[in-house]
Amino acid sequence: MNDVTYTQEQLQKVLVNDSNHISNLLQTHEVVLGYKKLDGTERDVRATLKPDLLPEVTSPVQTGGAKVKDTHVTVYDTEKMNWRTLIVANIQYIRSF
């Protein structure tokens, strides 16, 4: 993947015009999401939905396919090795690495 960074403004335009773009990107790459948490602190989330980087799902709750609001995105955090649901409006940037 080329070194690409989406600013928050560009990210919002992408999500408005093509809501599947971020999911498609995450399904094929691992990226860094700059994220502003609800308490105001910021952190980088190493995120992906790439199948070969995801853990095996064994819980019936996890396989139930719960609907996530359009204002949120669920990603696998490869650094924390856990699932995260992020508020899209709080994603500051997306950067490849």
Side-chain angles (χ1 to χ4, degrees):
M1 180 174 183
N2 296 334
D3 187 23
V4 176
T5 301
Y6 289 95
T7 65
Q8 187 176 20
E9 182 180 329
Q10 291 168 326
L11 179 61
Q12 294 302 318
K13 286 180 184 176
V14 166
L15 290 172
V16 168
N17 295 327
D18 182 6
S19 60
N20 292 320
H21 183 76
I22 301 303
S23 292
N24 291 340
L25 179 67
L26 290 167
Q27 288 176 19
T28 56
H29 298 88
E30 184 177 3
V31 299
V32 175
L33 301 176
Y35 188 71
K36 187 173 189 175
K37 295 166 48 172
L38 291 177
D39 67 4
T41 60
E42 296 181 8
R43 78 179 278 265
D44 284 347
V45 178
R46 289 181 66 136
T48 192
L49 293 175
K50 193 173 178 183
D52 61 327
L53 297 177
L54 301 179
E56 181 179 348
V57 177
T58 57
S59 169
V61 174
Q62 291 175 329
T63 59
K67 176 76 171 125
V68 176
K69 295 179 185 178
D70 291 340
T71 56
H72 293 65
V73 62
T74 299
V75 300
Y76 185 71
D77 184 333
T78 59
E79 193 171 60
K80 302 282 185 179
M81 299 188 72
N82 209 342
W83 291 96
R84 302 282 181 245
T85 300
L86 307 175
I87 301 168
V88 172
N90 291 0
I91 297 174
Q92 305 298 301
Y93 59 84
I94 298 176
R95 186 178 67 236
S96 63
F97 62 93

